[in-house]
Amino acid sequence: MLSKIKEIILEVENFISEDITKVEEFRIKILGKKGLVTQFFSDFRNVPNEEKKEVGLLINELKNKALEKVNSLKDSLGNVSQELKSEDLTLPSSPIEIGSRHPLSVVHNNIVDIFSRLGFTISEGPEIEDDWHVFSALNFPEEHPARDMQDTFFIEKNPDILLRTHTSSVQVRTMEKQTPPIRTISPGRVFRNEAISARAHCIFHQIEGLYIDENVSFADLKQTLMYFAKELFGEETEIRLRPSYFPFTEPSAEMDISCKLCGGKGCNVCKYTGWVEILGCGMVDPNVLKQNNIDPEKYTGFAFGMGVERISMLKYGIKDLRLFFENDLRFLKQFKPAL
Ligand code: PHE
């Protein structure tokens, strides 16, 4: 009898069910009027005197454990069904938090979208480049001080290998592979050996554009960039072109837009001029076309290049460029959800 009771105690301890009728069946089997506990008590009479104490204690233990188990199972099952009854199961569930795109991705996508609508394709190229694609093919003569305009990271063992300082290198690769008409933009990461500050970083993103065909003129360049600026910054945006210098374009210009933050009235972002610079551009230098086996007598083209960080700072009024790279959620959460 002792071992039989111990066996049932074990069964009680291990019993588990989420079915309320099974729990009730279990209760009847052990604690019911004709259940095991009643049976053990009636058999108690026949237990030899010296064993009575131990058997009695065990039967009580079984009874208490079974009661405890049945009550706790009934409680938890009862609560669940109570909860289910009081809840409207047709209501939508609590919302799942949606992440947001990185502001640089938002602006990158906007820019790519605008130029895609104008028929520009997207080209990509390597970040580790050679001198030819970054400088020589773009009319930077060797030893020319223009190479210092962009502080370059060279590979020590082989100064012919470097990290690209602009994505114009991708345009050289496009000219190698394609014949005009060429209409492409090249977005990507670029590297310059600059001290990190609120306004400069050694890694940033560029989007450069190249358009080569017969009869492409400076007017086409200006019109394309004006359309771009109005699409990105709003219809009321004005542009102006200032003469500048790049080895690969002639004539060259820098483009300003009317300051978004003060509406052209003057503020510390535009240094009280009402204008902010957003990109460099110009007509592709005939030497560059020649270097890339394109006949400059037949074809002309324009090119432009902009920094995505700079444009994002202007678009969102961000004052410190380092914020883009710190991954601070308080900053990142302020941008539109990624839908
Ligand atoms: N490659 C230039 C830069 O990185 C930008 C540029 C591109 C200027 C094309 C003119 C034409 O600064």
Side-chain angles (χ1 to χ4, degrees), residues 50 147 164 181 318:
E50 59 282 14
R147 291 189 184 220
R164 67 181 179 194
I318 296 165

Side-chain angles (χ1 to χ4, degrees), residues 141-251:
E142 233 161 272
E143 310 299 334
H144 192 280
R147 291 189 184 220
D148 290 343
M149 282 167 76
Q150 305 177 347
D151 294 318
T152 312
F153 286 114
F154 291 97
I155 306 294
E156 248 173 45
K157 283 191 185 146
N158 182 356
D160 187 45
I161 307 293
L162 45 102
L163 295 180
R164 67 181 179 194
T165 54
H166 53 184
T167 58
S168 304
S169 53
V170 182
Q171 309 186 335
V172 174
R173 288 182 181 275
T174 306
M175 287 188 273
E176 282 169 358
K177 279 185 293 206
Q178 244 174 277
T179 50
I182 293 172
R183 204 178 334 173
T184 189
I185 53 170
S186 35
R189 263 198 308 192
V190 298
F191 308 83
R192 292 189 194 178
N193 192 359
E194 283 189 41
I196 297 171
S197 72
R199 307 187 60 84
H201 208 289
C202 54
I203 301 177
F204 59 99
H205 299 79
Q206 273 194 331
I207 296 185
E208 298 219 346
L210 177 70
Y211 184 18
I212 302 175
D213 202 348
E214 288 174 41
N215 302 318
V216 176
S217 71
F218 200 89
D220 296 321
L221 168 64
K222 193 171 171 187
Q223 189 62 35
T224 305
L225 293 180
M226 187 167 79
Y227 173 80
F228 160 70
K230 286 179 183 291
E231 284 293 294
L232 189 66
F233 287 102
E235 190 50 41
E236 66 294 342
T237 309
E238 288 179 50
I239 64 162
R240 79 175 182 188
L241 293 167
R242 281 179 293 102
S244 184
Y245 170 76
F246 299 101
F248 34 89
T249 45
E250 184 58 38

Side-chain angles (χ1 to χ4, degrees), residues 83-99:
E83 247 172 50
L84 287 179
K85 266 183 229 150
S86 63
E87 215 178 308
D88 180 353
L89 296 176
T90 63
L91 286 175
S93 61
S94 41
I96 298 166
E97 207 181 334
I98 298 175

